[in-house]
Amino acid sequence: GALVIVVLLGVVFQAPIDRQLHSWKLLPEPERLTELYFTHPNSLPANYKPGQHQTVNFTVHNLEYRTTAYNYQVVEQTQNGATSQTLTSGSFTLGQNQYKSSVVDIIPTDFGSHVKISVKLVSQNESIDYLLKKEGV
């Protein structure tokens, strides 16, 4: 009889007990993160010709345990990082565990023999990048 009462009290008061334990930080919280990666990394270009269109394919996976707004920039930088410019930017919103694959068009300019192209998630402070060699160099 006493065991049944203890089990019933546990079931009835489970939610308030969990809330209190979370407020005291005694229960682990899920890790919040966003995955950012190139959708087809083996298909990234190796060369560029200034003024010629290229596409960048990247994917974002929301594991933040909440709906999250993402602002991205695709940036071209000189090899030493001294000069950079935004080639394109955009934004979208994802719910928990949702994916968004984006295909964006860029036009690299003449920043020298080697440039770095970066995809940046601005508010998450995350980025991925790849290097390009200027054609004919």
Side-chain angles (χ1 to χ4, degrees):
L3 180 61
V4 171
I5 292 172
V6 169
V7 169
L8 285 174
L9 288 173
V11 169
V12 170
F13 293 109
Q14 178 180 0
I17 291 170
D18 282 351
R19 279 194 299 274
Q20 187 61 55
L21 290 173
H22 277 290
S23 73
W24 289 338
K25 308 253 186 250
L26 295 175
L27 292 178
E29 294 290 327
E31 183 177 356
R32 296 174 187 232
L33 62 102
T34 295
E35 294 178 333
L36 169 64
Y37 54 91
F38 291 112
T39 310
H40 305 289
N42 294 333
S43 299
L44 290 171
N47 300 305
Y48 82 102
K49 184 175 182 181
Q52 186 174 16
H53 289 264
Q54 291 187 351
T55 57
V56 177
N57 303 312
F58 64 94
T59 299
V60 176
H61 181 198
N62 178 1
L63 294 170
E64 299 282 344
Y65 292 92
R66 61 180 175 224
T67 298
T68 304
Y70 294 98
N71 296 309
Y72 70 86
Q73 294 178 337
V74 180
V75 176
E76 177 182 16
Q77 290 182 314
T78 55
Q79 187 174 6
N80 64 6
T83 306
S84 66
Q85 73 174 359
T86 300
L87 300 175
T88 190
S89 62
S91 62
F92 53 87
T93 301
L94 293 175
Q96 164 59 15
N97 204 29
Q98 287 185 325
Y99 291 82
K100 166 107 172 117
S101 292
S102 297
V103 178
V104 296
D105 190 45
I106 62 169
I107 304 173
T109 58
D110 193 352
F111 268 16
S113 62
H114 293 83
V115 298
K116 179 169 74 169
I117 303 295
S118 298
V119 177
K120 299 180 178 191
L121 293 180
V122 179
S123 56
Q124 282 68 30
N125 198 26
E126 289 189 44
S127 65
I128 52 177
D129 52 67
Y130 62 99
L131 300 175
L132 293 173
K133 180 179 176 185
K134 186 176 175 182
E135 287 184 13
V137 174

